[in-house]
Amino acid sequence: MRTDVKLRLGNMIGSKRIGLVFLLLLTYACSSEKSTKDVEEVVQEEVVPEVDPVAEDNDTFNLPEIDLNNWKVTLPISENGKPIEVEPPAILEYASNIVLKPFMYNDSVNGALVFYTYPGATTTNTKYSRTELREQIDPGSNTTNWTFGEGGSMKGTFSLDEISKDGDGKYHRTMVMQIHGRLTNEQRDRIGENDNNAPPMLKIYWQNGYIRAVTKALKDLSVTDTELLHTDAWQDGESHTFSEKIDFEKCTIEIKASDGKIEVILNEGDSKTFEDIHMQKWGVFENYFKAGNYLQTTDAEAFARVSYYALEVVH
């Protein structure tokens, strides 16, 4: 119940109590069998105000440690046949944006930015929907990105709050972080593609309560630098599931990308490094970080809710 409603109810109840006390005073004044002391005790009991702890708690608001100036968000709803995306500066007003509110909103009690999603609108070359942030080095533009040679790191603290189950009673999975590839305009034109999409080199999943990292590998290492630009030249490569079960608890993941190498660190302790020829070959691509809630199912009643408490990217 909202605080203002509680206060109005409190005032109404207070008025009724005062009326009751007045009637009691008249009754007691007219009765010789009741003492003045009895009346004073009833008055004291009825007029003492009660403190509403919920109202006091609502005076404190905790906000997530996330600067959205360099992020856009993709939603599971569409407009003109495409998923709706909100870029800077509009994304900075997410708390009052009626389009964003159902999917991206503050949990001011726990100090988190919540990402909610369900099967809906999908982006090109995918079958799953998402409420997910996409890094924009230049706010409002997708054209400035980074290579592994230039390097970059992303560190996020999050929790999976709620997720649906499949017909067998097993939890669905969702992707919470990515390093996604991108073709330059020159690369796109060289291979005759109509968009700049390239595969994701790193995918971080919440899967059955564990964190699982999956990379990409070339199907054929003998391909040329032009042939490897095609998405179908790549397949899932090495993967790693961290031993610590996080379930629905808060955790921190840090991703460090450098020339021919990715390191993934869970809770500032357990670490996995991916470093091989496939990582070296990946150096031809541009990249960008992603973070949020990318649900990996099309089940009609599926959903997931992920809370991010902190998110930072460094280049």
Side-chain angles (χ1 to χ4, degrees), residues 56-66 94-95 105-114 250 307-310:
E56 287 191 343
D57 288 345
N58 284 343
D59 291 335
T60 303
F61 296 95
N62 300 312
L63 297 178
E65 298 177 13
I66 300 174
Y94 68 92
Y105 53 88
N106 282 332
D107 174 353
S108 58
V109 175
N110 295 307
L113 180 57
V114 181
K250 186 187 298 186
S307 290
Y308 263 83
Y309 304 86

Side-chain angles (χ1 to χ4, degrees), residues 30-193:
C30 296
S31 174
S32 60
E33 298 178 359
K34 296 295 181 180
S35 68
T36 304
K37 181 179 178 182
D38 293 330
V39 175
E40 290 175 348
E41 288 176 350
V42 172
V43 172
Q44 183 179 10
E45 178 183 351
E46 290 296 324
V47 299
V48 174
E50 297 180 358
V51 177
D52 184 354
V54 175
E56 287 191 343
D57 288 345
N58 284 343
D59 291 335
T60 303
F61 296 95
N62 300 312
L63 297 178
E65 298 177 13
I66 300 174
D67 182 355
L68 292 171
N69 278 288
N70 295 96
W71 298 95
K72 75 171 182 178
V73 65
T74 303
L75 304 178
I77 54 176
S78 62
E79 185 177 50
N80 299 322
K82 294 182 179 180
I84 292 176
E85 295 184 336
V86 181
E87 299 183 328
I91 193 174
L92 303 178
E93 305 298 327
Y94 68 92
S96 59
N97 187 311
I98 60 173
V99 175
L100 280 174
K101 274 185 176 181
F103 307 102
M104 179 177 161
Y105 53 88
N106 282 332
D107 174 353
S108 58
V109 175
N110 295 307
L113 180 57
V114 181
F115 297 91
Y116 174 75
T117 199
Y118 54 76
T122 63
T123 56
T124 305
N125 304 312
T126 64
K127 61 180 179 179
Y128 302 127
S129 59
R130 68 191 83 193
T131 301
E132 185 182 38
L133 297 174
R134 192 267 200 213
E135 178 190 14
Q136 291 186 322
I137 293 176
D138 290 336
S141 172
N142 293 334
T143 58
T144 303
N145 302 284
W146 52 275
T147 65
F148 272 34
E150 296 166 333
S153 66
M154 177 170 68
K155 186 175 183 179
T157 299
F158 68 91
S159 63
L160 188 127
D161 300 330
E162 194 175 10
I163 193 166
S164 52
K165 295 180 179 180
D166 62 21
D168 296 326
K170 297 180 180 179
Y171 286 116
H172 290 118
R173 67 175 181 168
T174 191
M175 198 183 301
V176 293
M177 289 183 176
Q178 294 188 68
I179 295 178
H180 209 290
R182 187 181 188 277
L183 298 170
T184 65
N185 291 342
E186 186 276 329
Q187 290 171 333
R188 177 199 64 199
D189 296 341
R190 191 197 315 171
I191 63 175
E193 288 291 342

Side-chain angles (χ1 to χ4, degrees), residues 8-21 46-47:
R8 288 199 298 271
L9 288 175
N11 291 335
M12 292 169 62
I13 293 170
S15 298
K16 291 181 178 179
R17 284 181 173 175
I18 291 172
L20 176 61
V21 171
E46 290 296 324
V47 299

